[in-house]
Amino acid sequence: MTVDLPTVWFVAIAVLWTGYFVLEGFDFGVGMLLPVLGRGRDADRRVVINAIGPVWDGNEVWLITAVGAMFAAFPAWYAATLSGFYLPVLLIIVALIGRGVAFEYRGKVDDPRWRARWDAAIVFGSAVPAFAWGLVFANIVRGVELGPDGVVRSGLLDLLHPYALVGGLATLALFVLHGAVFLALKTDGPVRRRARTAARATAPVAAAALFAFLMWTQADHGSGTTAVLAAGAVGALLIGTAMVARRREGWAFVATAVAVAATTAVLFVALFPAVLPSLLDPAFDLTVANAASRPYTLTILSWIGVVFLPLVVLYQSWSYWVFRRRVTREHVS
């Protein structure tokens, strides 16, 4: 039996991006909620930061792996995407670097103004990627002005299409809700109570933005499969909101994670078999077939993935298990 390796690697990359958005999504949400849930006392802000402290950098491994897989398995897709979306990707990289530095340097000086500046970097470094990733992937699904030479001719204003902006707002709101639910699950005391309140307040906005984005996607790029996935995403989001109201944070977090995963799946299913559609001429589309590496390269990559990917998943699962306890003021005092 012949295995269609390009399709296998398209699915693998979709799974890697899904893992990244599910895990880093709550990181972004926590960062954006820092001034809201940590107001009044620095101890509460430290509780918020410590809730993701042991795992945030591990979550970014999924991004590195996803981008690396794109580079190795679909070099034409990688080249066109990173060059065509140069400014949004650059902003994401700068934001992620600033956020990482802020986590490390915030507590180095015992000065409220020093901490406030780094807190602002955390908020900025979380909000920019949360919005920009939605913008980028919405544009990937919608298509860009891609020529026969594989060069993207779309400018920044072209990328700010209303559909892409709605996509960015949807991921921004969804990640805020995901982060609020995570903090309700991971913390206790005042931060936990504020996180529940934030989740209830954010849920209607996230549900409306996600519904609008998925319905637009379904109307322009959808199929029967994407319709099922979109319904599952919105339904999971509503279930998560109900679970927060009933103080079932564990199930609420599972539900928001499912919503993020289903939304990502909608985008990749809507995209397939293209990897980057052309708005100029469908003949210029980059597809799973014409953008893939040679079969020998994909075969080697497959063996590497079979060996090392389970090890990464096991290690990260172990780290989540080790740091599973709730964080409270007593842990940071």
Side-chain angles (χ1 to χ4, degrees):
M1 182 180 65
T2 302
V3 178
D4 185 2
L5 287 179
T7 300
V8 169
W9 272 98
F10 178 84
V11 173
I13 290 169
V15 170
L16 290 170
W17 278 109
T18 300
Y20 172 67
F21 288 137
V22 169
L23 297 176
E24 191 83 310
F26 71 74
D27 277 359
F28 292 149
V30 169
M32 288 184 281
L33 289 168
L34 176 62
V36 177
L37 304 188
R39 66 181 183 273
R41 293 182 57 172
D42 184 61
D44 288 341
R45 295 198 174 203
R46 291 168 62 195
V47 167
V48 171
I49 293 172
N50 284 10
I52 59 173
V55 298
W56 70 267
D57 49 353
N59 293 342
E60 292 188 351
V61 171
W62 289 82
L63 172 61
I64 297 170
T65 307
V67 174
M70 287 176 65
F71 171 76
F74 299 98
W77 185 17
Y78 169 89
T81 301
L82 267 68
S83 61
F85 299 97
Y86 183 82
L87 185 55
V89 171
L90 178 62
L91 287 174
I92 290 170
I93 293 173
V94 170
L96 291 178
I97 292 173
R99 189 177 69 131
V101 172
F103 282 138
E104 297 297 330
Y105 278 82
R106 182 185 185 277
K108 299 296 184 182
V109 177
D110 187 15
D111 178 13
R113 290 176 298 178
W114 169 273
R115 291 193 293 267
R117 286 193 288 268
W118 289 117
D119 288 348
I122 292 173
V123 174
F124 174 83
S126 302
V128 168
F131 176 82
W133 280 129
L135 180 82
V136 167
F137 273 88
N139 273 300
I140 289 175
V141 172
R142 171 178 170 263
V144 292
E145 294 181 1
L146 182 69
D149 52 1
V151 176
V152 177
R153 293 171 171 79
S154 299
L156 178 60
L157 292 180
D158 298 316
L159 302 181
L160 300 179
H161 187 272
Y163 170 70
L165 294 175
V166 172
L169 292 174
T171 53
L172 181 74
L174 182 58
F175 290 163
V176 170
L177 175 60
H178 196 33
V181 172
F182 175 79
L183 285 173
L185 173 66
K186 185 63 178 175
T187 65
D188 211 344
V191 173
R192 185 184 183 188
R193 292 192 292 271
R194 292 171 191 160
R196 286 178 184 150
T197 301
R200 290 194 294 268
T202 307
V205 178
L210 185 63
F211 180 81
F213 177 57
L214 292 178
M215 291 305 99
W216 197 334
T217 302
Q218 181 64 27
D220 288 352
H221 313 283
S223 62
T225 303
T226 57
V228 172
L229 290 169
V234 175
L237 198 62
L238 297 177
I239 291 172
T241 304
M243 291 296 102
V244 169
R246 298 178 60 182
R247 300 189 177 185
R248 303 289 297 275
E249 290 93 352
W251 286 110
F253 182 73
V254 170
T256 55
V258 169
V260 175
T263 299
T264 310
V266 167
L267 297 179
F268 276 94
V269 171
L271 184 61
F272 185 82
V275 292
L276 190 61
S278 173
L279 296 175
L280 300 178
D281 189 331
F284 303 155
D285 287 358
L286 288 179
T287 66
V288 169
N290 66 26
S293 295
R294 297 174 64 87
Y296 179 77
T297 302
L298 295 178
T299 301
I300 297 298
L301 286 175
S302 299
W303 283 111
I304 293 173
V306 167
V307 172
F308 288 101
L309 187 58
L311 296 178
V312 173
V313 173
L314 286 173
Y315 172 76
Q316 192 162 28
S317 300
W318 174 79
S319 66
Y320 272 92
W321 175 257
V322 170
F323 297 104
R324 66 188 181 278
R325 296 186 183 277
R326 292 183 182 270
V327 182
T328 65
R329 286 177 178 174
E330 288 72 23
H331 294 127
V332 300
S333 58

